[in-house]
């Protein structure tokens, strides 16, 4: 079964979703420039909204699910592991002396992404151990991984791989060796670079501020990001200086270089298989929006919901606001502004589209044979999603624009057959205001007409319900012509609660007739 959501929403002059230059995001569609809100922005707005978080928290009440039933996206996964280790140390077989090494090992549990603005070098402002990339996890997964590590610790056949995982020097040297594979360094130089990696990783001569050790087992946790910085530094050294930096000190120097020679590669397939296990606590937001990870310790989760980039139904012209700021205590005799700046913005009527695979969603929450509790959780999540969809807006520059405009029309479509249909082509020819000057009214009519034609022409068996609190309905006796087409499979309501109830009833019945 498929549930699709089509939303028409107008925003006042605003900058709800910025690009890397601070301008409102745009895209060309039908050879016309449109305003755009990215799918990622829309998903985060919904996932973090009060309507969604409260709805999901209420749905999981009484179940053993932490964090209100929501996932956590963070680089500080090792810190979560540290907390679980401390909380459960009395029941664990892993000795407390290993806890620090376990946390260090978890810092390299995910690989850094290789491209994009996220990977620009940034000064580290938080000393907590972290992974090179964000990891989207359910709150129970840190607990599960600690439990699996405890099982691995007790499994003598995995003893060697467990020790390798705990050895931060070994892990870091393996990362450096992997990054060196496609470089032009000679094999002899590569060995020296790997051997020197931990020493210079602690010294960090390329950084403005170097880290210092704070007691036993307090060596700086080194990750793939550190390895990339190290190799960049090595690569820029003159030949004679490079030779000097790669030569370990002789004699009984206090700066003796540590060296580790692993008996096997740290790919460790049996170890990672045992650590990864099966996903048993997929939470609603991860099940809805999925996750992609480059870590051997986590499984990818296929998103059950597809989210389109929202685009304006019409042509958009970017605008620039020239503004000034005055000094309340100016220099005597001086006039004029103390600050001059520019702010880019636009105003647009957006078409938003979401498509949810209901069957996949229920199975993601309850397994191949979901029970009634899982189905109820899925239904309650859909209800929370609809409320968030209708009530929340992106927060970009909200304080300066107050673009708190609610949707004027929402169409929910329920299909037994999975034929996802994005109706954006209704606006391939940009919408223009009608005789009454109402651009939203024109957009609703274009969407209504296009959807009706597609459903009829492709013989799509679906049930549809419109929600609009502002525009004329067939049952209104106000003299205005209705703009929504209603038939035996299409109805309309002016109540969001009624729209939610109708949707949940269709899910219980099994979709369209």
């Amino acid at each position: 079964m498929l549930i699709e959501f089509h939303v028409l929403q107008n925003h006042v002059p605003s900058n709800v979703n910025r690009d890397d230059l601070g301008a409102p995001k745009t895209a060309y569609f039908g050879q016309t420039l449109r305003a755009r809100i990215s799918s990622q922005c829309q998903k985060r707005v919904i996932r973090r909204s009060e309507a969604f978080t409260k709805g999901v928290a209420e749905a999981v009440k009484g179940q053993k699910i932490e964090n209100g039933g929501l996932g956590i996206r963070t680089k500080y996964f090792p810190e979560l592991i540290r907390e679980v280790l401390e909380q459960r140390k009395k029941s664990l077989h892993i000795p407390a002396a290993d806890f620090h090494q376990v946390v260090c090992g978890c810092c390299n549990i995910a690989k850094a992404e290789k491209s994009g603005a996220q990977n620009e070098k940034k000064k580290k402002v938080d000393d907590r151990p972290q992974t090179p990339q964000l990891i989207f996890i359910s709150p129970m997964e840190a607990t599960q991984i600690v439990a699996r590590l405890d099982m691995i610790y007790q499994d003598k056949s995995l003893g060697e791989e467990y020790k390798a995982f705990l050895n931060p020097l070994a892990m870091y040297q393996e990362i450096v060796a992997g990054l060196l594979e496609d470089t032009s360094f000679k094999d002899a130089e590569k060995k020296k670079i790997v051997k020197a990696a931990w020493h210079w990783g602690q010294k960090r001569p390329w950084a403005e501020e170097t880290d210092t050790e704070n007691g036993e087992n307090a060596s700086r946790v080194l990750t793939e990001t550190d390895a990339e910085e190290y190799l960049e530094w090595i690569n820029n050294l003159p030949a004679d200086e490079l030779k000097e930096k790669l030569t370990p000190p002789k004699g009984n120097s206090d700066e003796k270089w540590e060296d580790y020679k692993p008996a096997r590669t740290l790919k460790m397939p049996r170890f990672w298989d045992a650590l990864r296990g099966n996903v048993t606590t997929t939470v609603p937001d991860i099940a809805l929006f999925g996750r992609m990870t480059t870590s051997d310790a986590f499984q990818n989760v296929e998103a059950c919901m597809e989210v389109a980039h929202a685009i304006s139904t019409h042509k958009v012209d970017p605008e620039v606001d020239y503004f000034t700021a005055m000094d309340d205590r100016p220099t005597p005799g001086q006039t004029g502004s103390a600050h001059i700046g520019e702010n880019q913005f636009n105003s647009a009527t957006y078409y938003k589209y979401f498509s949810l695979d209901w069957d996949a969603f229920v199975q993601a929450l309850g397994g191949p044979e979901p029970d009634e509790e899982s189905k109820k959780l899925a239904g309650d999540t859909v209800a929370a999603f609809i409320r968030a969809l209708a009530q929340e807006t992106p927060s970009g520059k909200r304080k300066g624009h107050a673009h708190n405009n609610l949707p004027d029309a929402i169409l929910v479509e329920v299909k037994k057959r999975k034929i996802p249909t994005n109706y954006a082509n209704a606006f391939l020819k940009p919408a223009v205001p009608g005789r009454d000057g109402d651009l939203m009214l024109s957009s609703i009519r274009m969407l209504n007409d296009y959807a009706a034609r597609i459903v009829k022409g492709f013989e799509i068996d679906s049930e549809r319900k419109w929600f609009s609190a502002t525009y004329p309905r067939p049952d209104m006796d106000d003299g205005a012509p209705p703009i929504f087409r209603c038939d035996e499979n299409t109805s309309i309501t002016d109540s969001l609660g009624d729209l939610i109830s109708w949707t949940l009833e269709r899910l219980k019945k099994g979709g369209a007739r």
Side-chain angles (χ1 to χ4, degrees):
M1 192 190 313
L2 205 62
I3 319 169
E4 295 183 289
F5 306 89
H6 310 269
V7 182
L8 289 172
Q9 185 171 11
N10 188 73
H11 285 301
V12 296
S14 54
N15 188 348
V16 299
N17 189 202
R18 287 170 276 176
D19 63 17
D20 58 335
L21 300 178
K25 289 186 176 181
T26 57
Y28 276 93
F29 182 70
Q31 295 185 324
T32 305
L33 186 65
R34 313 294 180 108
R36 176 174 65 92
I37 303 174
S38 72
S39 57
Q40 184 171 343
C41 172
Q42 296 177 82
K43 287 185 282 189
R44 180 165 177 81
V45 167
I46 290 170
R47 193 174 73 86
R48 304 291 290 180
S49 70
E50 183 178 356
F52 188 75
T53 54
K54 281 190 174 182
V56 172
E58 187 64 29
V60 301
K61 208 170 187 179
Q63 300 185 37
K64 294 181 179 180
I65 301 179
E66 302 169 8
N67 197 45
L70 296 175
I72 303 168
R73 182 178 280 115
T74 181
K75 284 188 174 183
Y76 298 104
F77 171 73
E79 192 68 14
L80 296 177
I81 293 293
R82 187 196 300 278
E83 292 172 5
V84 176
L85 287 169
E86 291 297 332
Q87 290 167 5
R88 305 199 169 202
K89 62 181 176 182
K90 290 184 179 180
S91 61
L92 293 173
H93 295 85
I94 297 174
D98 284 359
F99 286 2
H100 179 75
Q101 282 79 6
V102 170
V103 173
C104 290
C106 288
C107 290
N108 294 307
I109 215 165
K111 298 176 183 176
E113 297 175 38
K114 298 300 182 184
S115 61
Q118 296 180 5
N119 301 308
E120 294 177 0
K121 299 294 184 294
K122 294 181 180 179
K123 185 177 180 179
K124 188 176 178 181
V125 295
D126 194 328
D127 290 331
R128 289 179 298 167
Q130 58 181 276
T131 56
Q133 68 165 201
L134 285 166
I135 302 177
F136 195 13
I137 61 171
S138 69
M140 294 297 291
E141 282 185 280
T143 302
Q144 289 178 356
I145 282 186
V146 168
R148 289 171 190 148
L149 278 170
D150 201 43
M151 293 176 62
I152 291 170
Y153 173 80
Q154 298 173 69
D155 187 343
K156 293 183 180 179
S157 69
L158 291 173
E160 184 179 353
E161 294 186 3
Y162 174 78
K163 290 179 181 178
F165 175 74
L166 289 192
N167 191 312
L169 167 61
M171 180 68 77
Y172 184 62
Q173 287 186 332
E174 287 291 338
I175 291 172
V176 173
L179 293 175
L180 276 169
E181 286 182 2
D182 297 326
T183 64
S184 58
F185 289 107
K186 297 178 180 178
D187 288 344
E189 285 180 323
K190 288 180 180 179
K191 290 180 180 179
K192 292 180 180 179
I193 291 172
V194 171
K195 186 173 183 179
W198 185 261
H199 174 78
W200 292 117
Q202 297 295 330
K203 294 288 185 180
R204 300 185 76 230
W206 55 85
E208 294 180 6
E209 298 179 6
T210 58
D211 297 312
T212 57
E213 295 185 6
N214 298 309
E216 187 179 359
N217 289 330
S219 295
R220 187 175 187 277
V221 176
L222 300 177
T223 67
E224 188 165 352
T225 302
D226 296 292
E228 290 172 347
E229 292 178 346
Y230 166 62
L231 292 184
E232 183 179 352
W233 174 70
I234 285 290
N235 196 51
N236 291 327
L237 290 175
D240 55 343
E241 191 174 350
L242 174 62
K243 183 178 180 180
E244 176 191 340
K245 298 296 184 186
L246 298 183
T247 303
K250 297 180 180 179
N252 297 320
S253 171
D254 292 336
E255 295 190 351
K256 183 179 179 182
W257 292 1
E258 297 182 70
D259 187 22
Y260 177 78
K261 297 178 180 179
R264 65 171 71 184
T265 174
L266 283 177
K267 291 180 180 178
M268 304 186 302
R270 292 181 62 240
F271 176 89
W272 293 117
D273 286 345
L275 186 64
R276 181 168 58 246
N278 295 318
V279 176
T280 56
T281 56
T282 297
V283 287
D285 54 344
I286 295 181
L288 276 179
F289 303 125
R291 75 171 176 204
M292 184 178 69
T293 175
T294 58
S295 171
D296 289 322
F298 301 97
Q299 291 181 340
N300 288 340
V301 177
E302 187 74 20
C304 298
M305 177 170 282
E306 297 176 358
V307 183
H309 287 237
I311 59 170
S312 63
T313 65
H314 53 89
K315 178 184 176 183
V316 69
D317 293 313
E319 299 186 67
V320 178
D321 173 34
Y322 168 83
F323 67 90
T324 63
M326 306 299 294
D327 192 325
D328 290 338
R329 302 187 67 181
T331 303
Q334 296 294 318
T335 60
S337 67
H339 174 76
I340 298 174
E342 293 180 347
N343 176 35
Q344 299 186 58
F345 66 92
N346 60 32
S347 179
T349 297
Y350 290 94
Y351 167 69
K352 302 177 180 180
Y353 169 71
F354 304 78
S355 177
L356 173 63
D357 186 329
W358 169 252
D359 304 308
F361 183 48
V362 173
Q363 290 179 5
L365 295 176
E369 298 181 2
D371 55 19
E372 290 303 316
E373 190 177 67
S374 299
K375 293 178 182 178
K376 184 180 184 305
L377 174 57
D380 290 342
T381 301
V382 170
F385 169 81
I386 295 175
R387 287 203 178 276
L389 180 66
Q391 297 174 356
E392 301 295 336
T393 57
S395 59
K397 292 202 170 183
R398 177 180 285 162
K399 299 298 183 183
H401 294 282
H403 48 271
N404 304 312
N405 308 97
L406 301 177
D408 280 288
I410 298 176
L411 171 63
V412 177
E413 193 166 9
V414 181
K415 304 173 180 176
K416 274 190 175 179
R417 293 180 60 199
K418 295 175 183 177
I419 309 175
T421 314
N422 185 326
Y423 293 145
N425 282 352
F427 312 107
L428 205 55
K429 179 180 179 181
V432 294
R435 294 179 181 177
D436 52 11
D438 192 334
L439 182 60
M440 175 60 75
L441 185 59
S442 295
S443 298
I444 292 175
R445 283 178 170 151
M446 292 171 72
L447 177 60
N448 201 344
D449 181 67
Y450 183 83
R453 291 175 183 273
I454 289 293
V455 168
K456 181 180 179 180
F458 285 88
E459 300 177 342
I460 297 175
D461 182 16
S462 68
E463 283 192 88
R464 300 168 295 283
K465 196 171 190 76
W466 283 95
F467 160 69
S468 178
T470 53
Y471 282 90
R473 307 183 309 277
D475 61 338
M476 291 180 71
D477 188 19
D478 59 0
I483 62 171
F484 297 96
R485 290 188 180 183
C486 293
D487 53 33
E488 61 177 5
N489 291 323
T490 309
S491 57
I492 186 170
T493 181
D494 60 357
S495 165
L496 181 63
D498 183 47
L499 179 70
I500 293 171
S501 298
W502 177 90
T503 304
L504 297 183
E505 287 172 7
R506 294 313 175 276
L507 296 179
K508 289 179 182 178
K509 290 180 181 179
R513 292 187 290 273

